[in-house]
Every structure is written in structure tokens, then in C-alpha cells.
Amino acid sequence: MLVDWVVVGLDNGGTANNGTILDSGGRFLLDRMAEVPSNVRQGPDKAIQSLVVSVEQVLALTGVPITAVRAVGLDTPGPASADGVISSKGATNFGHVGWRGFDIRGALAERLGLPVIYNNDGNSAALYAHNVRFGAESGQRSSVAAIVGTGLGGGIIQAGQVVKGAAGMAGELGHVPIPLDGLLGAGQSMPECNCGQSGDAESMASLIGIQNNLLPYWLTKYPGHDLAEMPISAAAKLVRRYAEDGDEMALTIFRQQAMALGRLFTIAANFLDPDQYFLGGQGRGDLPGPRPGHGRGPGVGLRRPRLAHQPGTAGQARHVVIPGPAGSPPPW
């Protein structure tokens, strides 16, 4: 394929790498993501080689020579620094001891001999949604995205740029404490997060929040429910399916999650006041129901948050659900 120059994009996950490629005009040269095993659980050496294979795959599929590649964009799950150094304490998808403090961006750049630009996956999703929504106006707009899946990530975009913070931890919306008054049920315990905090957004609005906090409580309110007959980790993954079938308990769980996300966006409104709020994730974060204007797939519409210091005012921002491919599976 004759091209001026291209950039390759790589999404690194716990089980697979997904690759794509864009030309100098921003046009995707593949109509779907090219997938290969990520091998991250086997440690950095095999995982970096798998990323190299991902680059080679997209180039082979498009017939583009590697000499035409100007840069590679890489995203991974966090926590990681702004430059792509995995947390010294490890991470959910980087459990192998060799990942602790490992510079995944630098290692891939050295292996490829090409510049590699890094963002965590929450920031990457936020930036994508921002540019799709605002197009040519992206540089004059701001947005906040909550990315729901196994955990709860997010991203903050200001004037078209990702806000990373000094250590790369900005936009970690899942670990923002939210008000729980009127949100928890009678006798419901304070939700605990894997990060060690209590009552943060991820402890409510995530798959792990369902597993550890919401489902165990609501099963006590619905004795004899089918999901009580299986291990809690397996049952948590089925809550969305039950909700789509109209199950009362499952819908109650998602109603609680939606309220938690609304409170998170209300907090964001008070200190960021962005032009737009996005709610996303591979499966739109567990949240079942129709998505007007976005075809098939789960999602939820949220009211504009009220600004705490402007009673009765909703501001000018809007909410949308980040669209994904029709029929795309949830992240579990």
C-alpha cells in the first residue's frame, strides 16, 4: 500500500493485544482491530515480543513497510506513570514480578527502534471519545470520561490534551470517594475497594464492586435467587445478563451503580466544569439498557450534574455514552 507515513496503535490488555494503523490523514487502514495474545502473565520479555508481533501483524495486513511508521501509540491498564513505567507494586494485569517498576514504553521503543507514545487505557479511551465528539474543535473543548469495566478508570481532557498530572495518576476517577448518604441500602456495609479505600467510586461502579460489595448484600435481600447457587465471582459476571432479562435484583444493583456514577460526575462538575461527560468501557461498564442514537449495546444516560455551589443549575455540559462496535462483548 502506498502511503506517506503511518502511525500504529496498540491496546495492550490482560489477554490480548489489539492493533490498528492510521495514515497521515487520520484514516484507519483496517476495518477492525487485529488481535494477538498479549502474554503479559508470562512476564515482560514475552509480552514485549507480543507487542512487536502486533506491529508486524498490522503492517502485514495493510502491506505498509515499517519504514513508513512514524510512531507507535501504546496503551496499557494502570497503574503506571505518565511515561509508561508500571507501578512498583504491580498491577492487576501485570502480576508477574518482572513487571514491577518496568518501563514498558521504553522497552518497546528499544525493541522496535521507533518512537513510542504512551497513555494508560482510560486516558486513551477518553481522548478518543473527545476527538470523535468535538472533531476540529477538540483543542478548544474539555471533557471527563469514566471508563467502567473490571475496575473503574477514567480520563480528563483539557483543550484537547490528556491531563496526566505530575506522576501520571490524574484521571483515576475510580478512587475518588463519593457521598454514600441515601445510596446504600438498609444495613449495607461500607463498600471496600481493592486500593484500600472505602466508599470510592470503583467500590460501587465496577465488576469488582459487584463481586465484593453489591451482589453479596443484595443476595441477602433476594433469598433463593439463582445467582446464590454459584461462586460469587462467576455470579457477578452474570448480573448484567440477568438485568437485560428484567431481573429485579440485577436492575437494583445497576440502579445503585448509576447513582454512584452520577455522584462521581457531580464531583467532577464542581472542580472541572467540562463541556462533556463520557461514560464508556468495552461493555459500557455493566450498565444495561438502551443507548439512544448509538445502536446496540448496553449503556446508561445520566442527568447533568448539579453544581454544589449553584443550586438548581445544571450547567451546559452534556452526557453521552462512548460508542463501540455493534455487538461488542463486555470486558468479562
Side-chain angles (χ1 to χ4, degrees), residues 12-296:
N12 168 256
T15 58
N17 295 326
N18 286 284
T20 191
I21 186 169
L22 296 87
D23 65 16
S24 56
R27 180 173 62 97
F28 286 97
L29 303 183
L30 292 173
D31 61 2
R32 61 180 57 86
M33 300 292 275
E35 184 174 300
V36 300
S38 65
N39 296 318
V40 294
R41 289 178 174 82
Q42 298 181 45
D45 189 61
K46 290 187 177 181
I48 294 299
Q49 182 56 37
S50 292
L51 288 168
V52 173
V53 170
S54 294
V55 173
E56 294 171 344
Q57 182 187 51
V58 297
L59 294 178
L61 288 171
T62 55
V64 173
I66 194 167
T67 53
V69 179
R70 180 166 291 185
V72 174
L74 171 68
D75 76 61
T76 75
S81 75
D83 294 324
V85 178
I86 305 301
S87 170
S88 60
K89 297 180 180 179
T92 300
N93 288 302
F94 298 101
H96 189 284
V97 66
W99 285 117
R100 297 179 182 179
F102 185 82
D103 180 1
I104 189 169
R105 185 209 61 80
L108 181 60
E110 182 178 354
R111 191 77 63 93
L112 290 172
L114 291 167
V116 175
I117 310 302
Y118 177 83
N119 269 306
N120 70 41
D121 53 1
N123 284 338
S124 296
L127 187 61
Y128 165 78
H130 183 90
N131 281 282
V132 168
R133 171 67 180 85
F134 293 116
E137 295 185 357
S138 293
Q140 290 76 50
R141 300 287 187 168
S142 61
S143 64
V144 172
I147 313 298
V148 194
T150 303
L152 175 60
I156 300 168
I157 310 298
Q158 182 65 40
Q161 299 293 315
V162 173
V163 177
K164 294 185 177 182
M169 300 301 290
E172 291 289 343
L173 302 184
H175 305 299
V176 174
I178 59 173
L180 297 177
D181 291 348
L183 180 57
L184 299 180
Q188 188 170 7
S189 299
M190 173 72 74
E192 303 289 337
C193 181
N194 284 350
C195 74
Q197 289 195 107
S198 300
D200 64 12
E202 183 173 298
S203 70
M204 297 288 291
S206 65
L207 174 63
I208 203 69
I210 292 177
Q211 176 182 309
N212 293 347
N213 300 310
L214 305 188
L215 184 56
Y217 169 77
W218 287 107
L219 282 174
T220 68
K221 303 299 180 181
Y222 290 84
H225 196 282
D226 293 348
L227 293 180
E229 303 301 319
M230 61 183 68
I232 196 69
S233 60
K237 295 178 181 179
L238 294 176
V239 170
R240 177 179 159 224
R241 182 185 303 172
Y242 273 75
E244 290 175 336
D245 291 337
D247 180 81
E248 182 180 345
M249 181 191 74
L251 288 172
T252 299
I253 288 172
F254 289 121
R255 191 172 298 115
Q256 207 171 29
Q257 288 198 315
M259 290 174 63
L261 288 166
R263 294 183 180 198
L264 176 64
F265 280 151
T266 298
I267 293 170
N270 281 306
F271 65 86
L272 292 172
D273 190 24
D275 294 294
Q276 193 92 40
Y277 299 87
F278 297 106
L279 175 60
Q282 190 176 4
R284 250 60 59 199
D286 267 354
L287 300 164
R291 291 190 298 144
H294 288 306
R296 293 169 55 195

